[in-house]
Amino acid sequence: MDIGKIIELMHSTLAKVEGSRLTALKELQEEEGNDPLKILIGTVLSARTRDENTRIAVSNLFSRFKDAIGIANADVREIEMLIRPAGFYKVKARRIKEIAKIIVKEYNCRVPDTLEELLRLPGVGRKTANCVLVYAFDKPAIPVDTHVHRISNRLGIVDTVKPEDTERALSDLIEESYWKVINDTFVRFGQNVCKPIAPSCDICMLKELCKYYNHIKSNE
């Protein structure tokens, strides 16, 4: 498949969806000028959390604490209160405080900008680390969340079981020049069109290329 054509058709389909908006991370990137700490914490907060609740939690936290030092020195119960709109806020509060302490102590208050160093931070997996590389540091990477994993398999770009396998497969198949736009485009498409349940195949401009749609059509 031509990934450039796929991305173009996704954007054309999204243009037809009323109320389609930026993802939480893209919005954060544009509003905060690629602030690495806010994007790192925002990505941690976004796990199993709706975008609108991620936005509220990030706003609450950084309205109170301006930098990693403030978060590192904060009472974890106050962090919990501030990020409560996010799911699993108690676990995330402890991780956020631990991350801030490491950034202050080991990285002189700077968020690390390599995959290997980011993966050393508590609760930071490949998806989160790759999101930081893309949205904070403008480095080529393919963050694979449930949307990227689902859509890549539905379209037939890959045939994988785990997101980690999807990341490897996409990295092998797609030119590096497209890596930075994959997550934002696929996530928006997954939130608004290619949903987990009842995808909007009727308006999708990719359906003729789609393995999932053509399987359904052949069984009608």
Side-chain angles (χ1 to χ4, degrees), residues 25 29 39-40 43-44 111-121 123-145 148 163-168 170-171 179-184:
L25 288 179
Q29 180 193 45
I39 288 171
L40 171 58
T43 308
V44 172
V111 175
D113 63 354
T114 68
L115 180 65
E116 294 73 23
E117 289 176 307
L118 287 165
L119 290 174
R120 291 181 57 237
L121 300 174
V124 173
R126 293 190 66 87
K127 187 208 80 171
T128 297
N130 282 325
C131 279
V132 174
L133 293 178
V134 170
Y135 293 101
F137 296 110
D138 197 33
K139 290 189 174 185
I142 304 179
V144 175
D145 67 352
V148 178
E164 295 83 0
D165 297 330
T166 301
E167 182 194 337
R168 283 191 289 270
L170 291 176
S171 297
W179 286 11
K180 290 186 289 186
V181 301
I182 292 294
N183 181 264
D184 181 64

Side-chain angles (χ1 to χ4, degrees), residues 180-193:
K180 290 186 289 186
V181 301
I182 292 294
N183 181 264
D184 181 64
T185 305
F186 278 51
V187 171
R188 283 188 63 215
F189 195 72
Q191 290 174 338
N192 293 281
V193 181

Side-chain angles (χ1 to χ4, degrees), residues 67-103:
D67 53 29
I69 295 174
I71 297 172
N73 293 330
D75 187 311
V76 72
R77 288 170 294 185
E78 184 175 10
I79 298 175
E80 288 176 7
M81 181 186 68
L82 293 166
I83 68 166
R84 193 181 182 95
F88 304 94
Y89 64 93
K90 289 192 174 183
V91 173
K92 290 176 182 178
R94 292 195 301 272
R95 286 179 177 170
I96 287 169
K97 182 176 171 68
E98 290 170 8
I99 287 170
K101 288 168 70 175
I102 292 171
I103 288 172

